[in-house]
Amino acid sequence: LIFSFNSLVIAHLTSVLHQTSLDMDDFSKDAVNCFIDAAYSGELVKISKENFRDVNKMAHVFDVAWIIEGCQQFFKGMVENLSGDDCNEISLVLEEAEYFFKTMKDGEFQDLAIGKI
């Protein structure tokens, strides 16, 4: 029921299609836990570099605007904290930006990353 308040997609799945469970095998366990905790608490506190991609995907799949916004803010923080010395962090940011562009057809993350580098 809590999820229905956060997502019209989940509300439709549960109330119209009468689904009582959702298969989340496409997402990491850590990301699913982060998403569930966020839905219950109203805060996106367990997001990390490791689960960011899957949390962001779930937010888009289930159309949860405030989690999408939280993911955008998290990514902006990753970009702002980049230093020219850390090739791994730069690579991670560029990979996430490219993935987001390819899957969501949105260049916002790319623009942020390229603007910093």
Side-chain angles (χ1 to χ4, degrees):
L1 186 60
I2 295 289
F3 292 110
S4 299
F5 294 123
N6 287 288
S7 169
L8 293 176
V9 173
I10 293 174
H12 178 77
L13 290 171
T14 57
S15 63
V16 176
L17 300 179
H18 305 291
Q19 289 188 342
T20 58
S21 65
L22 295 172
D23 180 11
M24 302 294 270
D25 292 338
D26 291 340
F27 310 106
S28 71
K29 181 179 179 180
D30 186 44
V32 171
N33 287 335
C34 175
F35 188 82
I36 290 170
D37 288 347
Y40 276 99
S41 71
E43 297 179 30
L44 188 59
V45 295
K46 292 188 176 180
I47 193 165
S48 66
K49 292 174 186 173
E50 293 76 24
N51 68 20
F52 166 76
R53 181 180 291 187
D54 278 352
V55 172
N56 192 37
K57 282 193 302 188
M58 280 187 283
H60 282 86
V61 166
F62 297 113
D63 195 23
V64 183
W66 70 270
I67 296 180
I68 291 170
E69 176 64 28
C71 289
Q72 290 169 338
Q73 293 305 315
F74 182 81
F75 185 80
K76 287 177 185 176
M78 286 174 45
V79 170
E80 289 170 4
N81 291 328
L82 282 178
S83 70
D85 301 357
D86 195 339
C87 293
N88 290 332
E89 290 296 313
I90 292 170
S91 178
L92 173 67
V93 164
L94 291 174
E95 285 175 22
E96 292 304 324
E98 179 184 20
Y99 177 82
F100 190 73
F101 179 73
K102 285 181 176 179
T103 58
M104 304 296 177
K105 309 300 184 229
D106 186 335
E108 178 185 3
F109 285 2
Q110 279 188 329
D111 293 343
L112 286 170
I114 292 169
K116 175 70 177 191
I117 298 169

